[in-house]
Amino acid sequence: MLTLILGIAAMNLFAAVLILLRPKLFGTKLYKPMLKNMGLSLLPLFVLTAAILFMFLVMICIAPAAGLAIGLAGVVLWLLLLPNAGYLVTELNLNHRTADKKEVPMWYDIIAVLALSMSGVMNTLLNVMLLQLIYGVFVHPADAFDLGAVNNRIFWLMISAVFLLISFGIYIGRYLRFNSWDILKPKHFISLLKQHFRQPGKGKELMVFVLCHTAFFLLMYLIVVWPVLTER
């Protein structure tokens, strides 16, 4: 597991270095939205980690019920922020190149944006893996780090639901330009949703987008996380 975490950290660092080197190597301006999106991609992980630590601290020092309430609130906040982790996959459209006044080699942008997108995918998987470990701690404490011990229908429904929510969040973030904090303005949020989905074909577009991205994240989860947590 440590190797996985270090590898994900290295991928994030590699992507950041390529973004920062781009203007120095090719005389272009730094594309700051990419760095901002990288920060937002890492934010859910820090929020979930802080929520877990605070939850256990309150459970030990004050009361279990209070700790659980804090943990639940932290998970809700984490879910609202989580699409930011996977949002980096949308950088693959390479639209940052339109802002360049000097041409940057396509090969450089391909590897840089691919690293950036994969860092977002890996961050998403790491977040969901932490959620799985929390689930394991409460459901099967003795084998919390063994995915096989919690390999049941409820677990997979939970994981699939999380990836569905992530995919939906990525969609509305990309095409409706919503941010996680826009949920604080529910009337405006719902109004824009209705306006968007009244357009012909948008419902179908959403369904295909969400199903494709959910399947992609599930496959990546099976490839990356499953072997780590089931190895003996």
Side-chain angles (χ1 to χ4, degrees), residues 150-172:
V150 292
N151 182 21
N152 54 47
R153 185 179 299 175
I154 294 175
F155 168 74
W156 284 108
L157 285 174
M158 180 183 70
I159 295 297
S160 299
V162 169
F163 283 133
L164 277 168
L165 289 172
I166 292 171
S167 301
F168 176 73
I170 294 173
Y171 177 87
I172 62 174

Side-chain angles (χ1 to χ4, degrees), residues 133-145:
L133 293 177
I134 296 170
Y135 173 79
V137 166
F138 284 99
V139 175
H140 211 297
D143 298 300
F145 288 85

Side-chain angles (χ1 to χ4, degrees), residues 137-210:
V137 166
F138 284 99
V139 175
H140 211 297
D143 298 300
F145 288 85
D146 181 4
L147 187 59
V150 292
N151 182 21
N152 54 47
R153 185 179 299 175
I154 294 175
F155 168 74
W156 284 108
L157 285 174
M158 180 183 70
I159 295 297
S160 299
V162 169
F163 283 133
L164 277 168
L165 289 172
I166 292 171
S167 301
F168 176 73
I170 294 173
Y171 177 87
I172 62 174
R174 188 67 194 180
Y175 295 106
L176 282 79
R177 312 310 297 175
F178 277 142
N179 293 303
S180 299
W181 45 89
D182 287 331
I183 198 69
L184 298 175
K185 301 176 182 178
K187 288 185 178 179
H188 179 65
F189 179 80
I190 293 171
S191 174
L192 286 179
L193 277 179
K194 288 181 178 178
Q195 183 180 347
H196 178 78
F197 289 113
R198 284 194 186 110
Q199 300 177 57
K202 292 301 180 181
K204 179 181 178 181
E205 179 185 70
L206 171 67
M207 182 178 68
V208 175
F209 182 99
V210 168

Side-chain angles (χ1 to χ4, degrees), residues 123-141:
N123 292 340
T124 302
L125 298 181
L126 184 57
N127 273 278
V128 176
M129 185 182 77
L130 282 177
L131 179 67
Q132 178 239 306
L133 293 177
I134 296 170
Y135 173 79
V137 166
F138 284 99
V139 175
H140 211 297

Side-chain angles (χ1 to χ4, degrees), residues 11 15 41 85-93 111-124 216-217:
M11 181 63 77
S41 176
Y87 183 82
L88 290 179
V89 298
T90 65
E91 299 288 355
L92 286 168
N93 60 17
I111 196 66
V113 173
L114 185 59
L116 180 66
S117 298
M118 286 308 299
S119 71
V121 173
M122 294 298 108
N123 292 340
T124 302
F216 171 74
F217 283 122

